[in-house]
């Protein structure tokens, strides 16, 4: 039966597509192995347009040769919770499909590498900085929309902090970004001081500063996020004003993994970044 293509159904479909392609099967071949009369059934499942029942999964495991216990459990969880309402669905009109997909993915990720020369990542923002960034954007036009989105961002932070298995965040922040007076000098100083506090007290957060002296670097092509999952597969997320790309082709993911490693090498070490962060906070006083 046709179903709503929720973020979890799309994730389930994308994972099954990845496994099928790794086997070298076309959708038509997969349909034959699974006992479906038409490849359209496989296409609908991979696009989140047709649901699966938990009782069907053992057949998929056998046909696709899925033996990894962690991957099996992840697929079971996606099927069980496919139609479950997410906390962010309360923010109707604020969360569109790309943002909903990101929120769903990052909540199941084990690691997140972030490079964004334009803004501090939402999970590391202070409330004041989050509001200044949102007000500066041209996406949200009314005060109500701005309030709604800032509330979503702050609830996302709380949700991630309360996770049973902590998300490990690694970010490389260009020095120019940290000196940009977003929200004014006092707001930006509070944001930098917050980063210092996280770097010193939160073992799941790693912060490196990319100094001006680094010159050209591996992030010149633009911002990206690299997500790691317990099952070992990685995903690259590239966001723009009204769109979001989610890339999981092995060659593409490897390219961005190399870029992240080079950025870590180009930047100051986490320990050496603290004095520069402290200097920037003082300069903003």
């Amino acid at each position: 039966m046709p179903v709503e293509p929720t973020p979890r159904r799309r994730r389930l479909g994308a994972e099954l597509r990845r496994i099928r392609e790794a086997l070298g099967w076309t959708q038509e071949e997969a349909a034959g192995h699974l006992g479906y009369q038409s490849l359209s059934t496989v296409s609908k499942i991979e696009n989140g347009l047709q649901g699966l029942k938990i009782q069907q999964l053992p057949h998929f495991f056998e046909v696709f040769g899925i033996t990894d216990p962690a991957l099996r459990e992840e697929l079971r969880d996606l099927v069980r919770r496919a139609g479950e309402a997410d906390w962010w669905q309360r923010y109707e009109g604020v969360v569109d499909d790309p943002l909903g997909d990101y929120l769903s993915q990052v909540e199941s990720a084990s690691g997140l590498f972030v490079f964004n020369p334009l803004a501090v990542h939402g999970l590391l923002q202070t409330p004041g900085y989050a509001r200044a960034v949102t007000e500066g954007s041209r996406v949200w036009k009314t005060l109500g929309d701005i309030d709604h989105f800032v509330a979503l961002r702050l609830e996302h932070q709380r949700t991630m902090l309360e996770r049973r298995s902590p998300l490990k965040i690694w970010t490389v922040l260009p020095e120019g970004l940290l000196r940009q007076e977003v929200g004014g000098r006092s707001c930006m100083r509070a944001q930098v001081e917050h980063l210092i506090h996280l770097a010193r007290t939160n073992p799941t957060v790693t912060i490196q500063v990319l100094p001006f002296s680094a010159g050209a670097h591996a992030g010149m092509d633009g911002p990206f996020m690299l997500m790691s999952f317990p099952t070992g597969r990685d995903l690259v997320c590239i966001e723009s004003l009204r769109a979001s790309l989610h890339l999981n082709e092995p060659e593409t993911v490897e390219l961005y993994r190399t870029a992240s490693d080079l950025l870590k090498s180009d930047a100051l070490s986490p320990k050496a970044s603290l004095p520069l962060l402290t200097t920037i906070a003082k300069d903003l006083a």
Side-chain angles (χ1 to χ4, degrees):
M1 295 291 292
V3 296
E4 179 188 355
T6 62
R8 287 192 183 91
R9 286 195 180 103
R10 285 195 292 268
R11 280 180 49 214
L12 174 66
E15 189 63 28
L16 292 174
R17 182 188 304 113
R18 181 187 69 82
I19 296 168
R20 171 181 63 78
E21 291 174 346
L23 291 169
W25 294 350
T26 65
Q27 287 184 337
E28 187 173 12
E29 288 170 330
H33 290 301
L34 289 164
Y36 294 130
Q37 295 182 347
S38 171
L39 66 84
S40 66
T41 302
V42 173
S43 176
K44 289 175 183 176
I45 292 172
E46 290 184 355
N47 287 290
L49 297 171
Q50 179 162 320
L52 288 178
K53 294 181 179 179
I54 197 72
Q55 295 88 343
Q56 294 174 274
L57 281 182
H59 180 53
F60 275 76
F61 294 161
E62 182 180 356
V63 171
F64 283 3
I66 302 171
T67 58
D68 182 348
L71 179 55
R72 284 189 172 200
E73 185 54 36
E74 180 184 2
L75 296 178
R76 289 191 194 99
D77 186 62
L78 290 173
V79 170
R80 290 190 197 102
R81 303 179 62 199
E84 183 180 311
D86 292 299
W87 64 264
W88 56 83
Q89 290 179 337
R90 298 198 307 273
Y91 295 87
E92 185 178 357
V94 174
V95 179
D96 54 16
D97 280 350
L99 180 55
D101 283 343
Y102 159 75
L103 292 171
S104 177
Q105 287 159 348
V106 78
E107 287 209 342
S108 61
S110 55
L112 177 66
F113 174 84
V114 182
F115 176 73
N116 189 343
L118 306 176
V120 175
H121 190 269
L123 289 172
L124 307 178
Q125 292 178 2
T126 64
Y129 184 93
R131 173 165 289 277
V133 169
T134 308
E135 289 176 345
S137 168
R138 291 299 172 261
V139 174
W140 315 113
K141 295 181 174 60
T142 70
L143 182 60
D145 287 342
I146 292 171
D147 289 341
H148 217 38
F149 186 75
V150 172
L152 167 107
R153 175 151 287 175
L154 297 179
E155 183 164 354
H156 179 42
Q157 286 185 9
R158 289 193 296 272
T159 301
M160 298 307 294
L161 288 173
E162 294 169 1
R163 265 183 30 168
R164 284 178 297 176
S165 55
L167 175 69
K168 294 182 180 179
I169 303 172
W170 194 313
T171 186
V172 173
L173 301 168
E175 182 177 351
L177 162 66
L178 297 169
R179 293 188 180 277
Q180 185 78 19
E181 297 177 11
V182 174
R185 293 174 72 87
S186 61
C187 176
M188 195 63 214
R189 184 186 184 191
Q191 176 61 64
V192 175
E193 289 175 339
H194 179 61
L195 293 171
I196 294 170
H197 175 72
L198 288 173
R200 286 176 172 165
T201 64
N202 194 325
T204 65
V205 176
T206 302
I207 296 173
Q208 290 183 261
V209 179
L210 186 69
F212 287 136
S213 58
H217 53 78
M220 301 295 284
D221 289 323
F224 67 93
M225 290 181 285
L226 179 61
M227 297 186 205
S228 301
F229 297 86
T231 54
R233 60 180 173 81
D234 288 352
L235 174 74
V236 174
C237 180
I238 302 173
E239 295 179 319
S240 61
L241 194 63
R242 275 299 192 187
S244 181
L245 286 175
H246 295 165
L247 310 170
N248 63 1
E249 297 82 1
E251 298 82 4
T252 302
V253 171
E254 189 60 32
L255 179 66
Y256 280 95
R257 184 182 293 110
T258 299
S260 69
D261 290 340
L262 290 172
L263 279 165
K264 292 174 185 178
S265 298
D266 292 338
L268 298 174
S269 69
K271 183 177 180 180
S273 294
L274 278 171
L276 180 52
L277 285 167
T278 301
T279 296
I280 293 171
K282 289 180 179 177
D283 291 343
L284 288 166

